[in-house]
Amino acid sequence: MDYKIDRKIIFGISACMFGAKVRYNGKGWDMLGELKREKNSFIWAPICPEVMSGLCVPRNPISLSGGNGSDFWKGESKIKDRMGINRSQMVKDGCEEALSILQRSNVDAYIFMEGSPTCGVYRTSLKGKRLGNPPGVFGARLIDDGYFLIPAQDLASPIKWWDWRRRLTAFVWLKNLEISSNKDIYEMWHILKFLCQELDETFARDIGNKFASLKDELTSEEIENIRIEILNLLRKPTNVASISHWLWKNYSFLKKHCDVDIPEVQNEGELRSGTHMALELLKVEIQSRKNHLLFGSSPIIYNF
Ligand code: SF4
């Protein structure tokens, strides 16, 4: 089984994070500048659900009242602007249109502006001002529709971006993988199990035991349920301590068994910046690829 992606990954992105000055106050930031040349490795679909709602630039800021973005879709919360005008129907239409654009563009993942009552996922507060409870209206739909979601501010952190990128490539690979038999499942698990262990050891142990005790061929429904469980796990971020621990574990293995020597890799307990750790991880990644070895923490090859 090939463990590489053979096409460019397509991102949807909040347009205000793509450099478009579409925020209510006419501002926007070019967060892709943080990726430098790497931004050319991906295809981009910038959208602004609020502008697509018919709300112009500049506009009165909007906020959620009576619940969060999930409640909004059940008709239990509203979107109002600063003048108290109900903008719920407009925002609903804009979000639906934005979602259909993401589908037509075939996007794999979405980079969102955190803090927005529309695009926000974990936060809907800006500068300490609450704009309703998270997730935002559009964010809620992105979660439900199973998109891989990345907060735009994490593009500025080399270690967080490394974490997102390695999980994203695994996510896209698994989402598109043809799986029709138990043999395919075992091969898929051989490639992803170390990353899954790193993200949730209990989950990985349980699912590993389940695969080990399989007697009958899995039905296509069972295969799809397993796929969804693993995809959902891959969407969850980890923490720097865990990344450091597994970097050391993987590196020790490669050094001992595969003769891989990378002087830049520091001991697990040594203090260093996130930027330095991201560099160590990239070095291990490159050496593993060169030697045709599977790097468990970042198993899928993405070369564009
Ligand atoms: S956060 Fe989303 S809705 Fe708000 S300006 Fe940015 S793209 Fe538009």
Side-chain angles (χ1 to χ4, degrees):
M1 185 176 278
D2 237 2
Y3 48 100
K4 66 176 184 196
I5 297 178
D6 55 10
R7 63 162 175 87
K8 281 194 178 185
I9 288 176
I10 306 172
F11 275 107
I13 180 169
S14 297
C16 60
M17 299 287 98
F18 191 75
K21 297 182 188 307
V22 290
R23 291 203 61 222
Y24 73 95
N25 55 7
K27 289 188 177 167
W29 293 272
D30 176 18
M31 290 304 289
L32 295 195
E34 302 287 348
L35 298 183
K36 303 191 176 68
R37 271 191 315 183
E38 198 186 351
K39 74 178 177 190
N40 300 324
S41 301
F42 306 100
I43 296 171
W44 303 95
I47 49 164
C48 174
E50 286 184 25
V51 168
M52 293 168 77
S53 301
L55 298 169
C56 306
V57 183
R59 56 187 174 271
N60 280 317
I62 55 171
S63 59
L64 269 159
S65 65
N68 64 15
S70 305
D71 301 322
F72 177 87
W73 293 103
K74 293 182 231 150
E76 293 166 5
S77 64
K78 291 185 175 63
I79 285 275
K80 289 184 183 170
D81 70 15
R82 192 157 51 190
M83 307 307 285
I85 300 173
N86 189 330
R87 299 292 192 187
S88 300
Q89 190 59 48
M90 287 176 86
V91 172
K92 197 174 180 182
D93 292 345
C95 288
E96 296 283 15
E97 184 54 29
L99 284 164
S100 71
I101 287 178
L102 294 187
Q103 277 169 13
R104 288 202 294 277
S105 308
N106 248 332
V107 315
D108 300 296
Y110 190 83
I111 295 181
F112 59 92
M113 185 200 158
E114 193 64 306
S116 156
T118 308
C119 290
V121 171
Y122 306 113
R123 253 193 322 112
T124 45
S125 58
L126 279 174
K127 294 184 181 164
K129 196 169 181 293
R130 283 174 77 83
L131 302 171
N133 295 317
V137 173
F138 192 56
R141 287 294 299 272
L142 294 171
I143 295 171
D144 286 353
D145 290 357
Y147 284 103
F148 191 95
L149 300 172
I150 303 178
Q153 73 265 22
D154 284 1
L155 304 190
S157 158
I159 187 73
K160 285 185 180 163
W161 170 242
W162 183 86
D163 176 42
W164 285 112
R165 187 176 51 78
R166 51 98 182 237
R167 287 183 292 108
L168 169 65
T169 48
F171 179 93
V172 173
W173 177 78
L174 175 59
K175 199 167 176 192
N176 294 290
L177 186 68
E178 218 167 278
I179 307 177
S180 54
S181 66
N182 289 8
K183 182 174 169 284
D184 294 339
I185 283 276
Y186 298 140
E187 287 184 16
M188 173 277 291
W189 189 239
H190 170 72
I191 291 163
L192 293 186
K193 72 179 169 197
F194 299 106
L195 174 55
C196 291
Q197 257 172 26
E198 186 178 330
L199 299 173
D200 186 335
E201 257 185 293
T202 311
F203 170 91
R205 195 177 41 244
D206 289 351
I207 209 159
N209 288 339
K210 186 173 166 181
F211 293 157
S213 59
L214 284 180
K215 289 193 179 71
D216 303 321
E217 276 292 316
L218 290 163
T219 64
S220 52
E221 196 185 339
E222 287 168 328
I223 288 174
E224 286 321 305
N225 286 339
I226 289 168
R227 192 196 303 265
I228 289 168
E229 273 188 81
I230 300 177
L231 287 174
N232 281 335
L233 176 66
L234 292 170
R235 294 206 290 171
K236 290 184 191 153
T238 179
N239 57 59
V240 174
S242 169
I243 293 174
S244 166
H245 172 66
W246 282 87
L247 162 65
W248 184 248
K249 220 171 157 167
N250 276 301
Y251 176 60
S252 305
F253 178 86
L254 291 170
K255 196 173 161 75
K256 191 169 171 192
H257 299 284
C258 311
D259 215 18
V260 168
D261 189 23
I262 307 169
E264 287 89 347
V265 178
Q266 297 181 331
N267 275 315
E268 187 186 346
E270 272 185 72
L271 277 181
R272 72 273 217 191
S273 67
T275 306
H276 190 277
M277 201 185 295
L279 181 86
E280 294 169 50
L281 289 157
L282 283 173
K283 293 244 174 201
V284 178
E285 220 172 61
I286 291 165
Q287 279 296 327
S288 309
R289 310 281 193 252
K290 256 190 200 160
N291 294 298
H292 306 288
L293 300 166
L294 181 77
F295 176 25
S297 289
S298 176
I300 305 303
I301 299 172
Y302 183 72
N303 263 343
F304 287 95

